[in-house]
């Protein structure tokens, strides 16, 4: 298989506003596509104007659709409407994205922690580029 064959099987769709992401995802699902993966990235080290991004990958008839959305770099506004009410396969992914990046799926039915321990400090997200580690000490841990 050549690179041309692979690129012919990938559809790249950028969503301009986070509010449109859930609707686009639902439209893909209604068309018979299945959610393969959902993740996030911290692009702030790539230069001015870069921030956090959400990435989803969908499969239908051997063709992958890459649906993504830039969220900006403002820590106080890292939110998007949850896909879970319409696309149940997003349930675990959205919780994981919050735990690791701090990007909140507004309207998620269970926003409790999934990946990090309950003692993990609030507003510390280990997959962000500005996380310097080491792992924070557990609250109430004895020496």
């Amino acid at each position: 298989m050549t690179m041309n064959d692979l690129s012919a099987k990938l559809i790249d769709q950028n969503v301009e506003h986070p509010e449109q992401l859930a609707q686009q995802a639902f439209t893909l699902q209604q068309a018979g596509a299945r959610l393969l993966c959902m993740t996030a990235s911290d692009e702030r080290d790539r230069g001015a104007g870069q921030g956090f991004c959400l990435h989803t990958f969908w499969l239908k008839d051997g063709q992958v659709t890459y649906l993504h959305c830039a969220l900006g770099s403002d820590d106080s506004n890292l939110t998007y409407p949850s896909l879970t009410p319409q696309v149940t396969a997003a349930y675990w992914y959205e919780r994981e994205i919050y735990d690791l990046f701090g990007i909140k799926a507004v309207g998620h039915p269970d926003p409790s922690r999934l990946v990090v321990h309950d003692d993990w400090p609030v507003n510390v997200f280990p997959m962000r580029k500005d996380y310097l580690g080491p792992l924070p000490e557990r609250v109430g841990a004895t020496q």
Side-chain angles (χ1 to χ4, degrees), residues 24-43:
Q24 289 282 61
F26 183 65
T27 300
L28 284 167
Q29 181 177 267
Q30 290 298 101
R34 297 175 58 124
L35 180 64
L36 293 175
C37 180
M38 182 174 179
T39 189
S41 62
D42 180 351
E43 308 290 335

Side-chain angles (χ1 to χ4, degrees), residues 6-140:
L6 290 174
S7 64
K9 293 186 176 279
L10 177 69
I11 299 171
D12 187 345
Q13 291 184 359
N14 180 47
V15 177
E16 202 64 34
H17 301 286
E19 297 78 24
Q20 298 170 328
L21 188 65
Q23 183 56 46
Q24 289 282 61
F26 183 65
T27 300
L28 284 167
Q29 181 177 267
Q30 290 298 101
R34 297 175 58 124
L35 180 64
L36 293 175
C37 180
M38 182 174 179
T39 189
S41 62
D42 180 351
E43 308 290 335
R44 293 177 295 171
D45 64 340
R46 293 191 175 194
Q50 298 296 315
F52 293 89
C53 298
L54 276 177
H55 312 275
T56 63
F57 296 88
W58 301 79
L59 178 66
K60 180 182 181 206
D61 299 330
Q63 191 164 43
V64 174
T65 300
Y66 169 44
L67 181 65
H68 52 97
C69 181
L71 300 174
S73 59
D74 180 6
D75 277 355
S76 66
N77 194 29
L78 288 176
T79 64
Y80 64 98
S82 176
L83 278 59
T84 298
Q86 296 177 338
V87 182
T88 56
Y91 183 89
W92 298 107
Y93 292 123
E94 290 182 334
R95 290 177 61 193
E96 178 182 43
I97 288 168
Y98 179 75
D99 278 0
L100 299 177
F101 290 94
I103 302 170
K104 184 175 182 170
V106 177
H108 192 283
D110 179 14
S112 62
R113 291 183 169 187
L114 176 68
V115 179
V116 297
H117 194 275
D118 288 339
D119 288 342
W120 188 268
V122 176
N123 296 325
V124 175
F125 305 105
M127 292 300 289
R128 286 189 178 192
K129 298 281 171 79
D130 55 3
Y131 177 71
L132 301 176
L135 295 177
E137 290 184 30
R138 290 182 58 185
V139 174

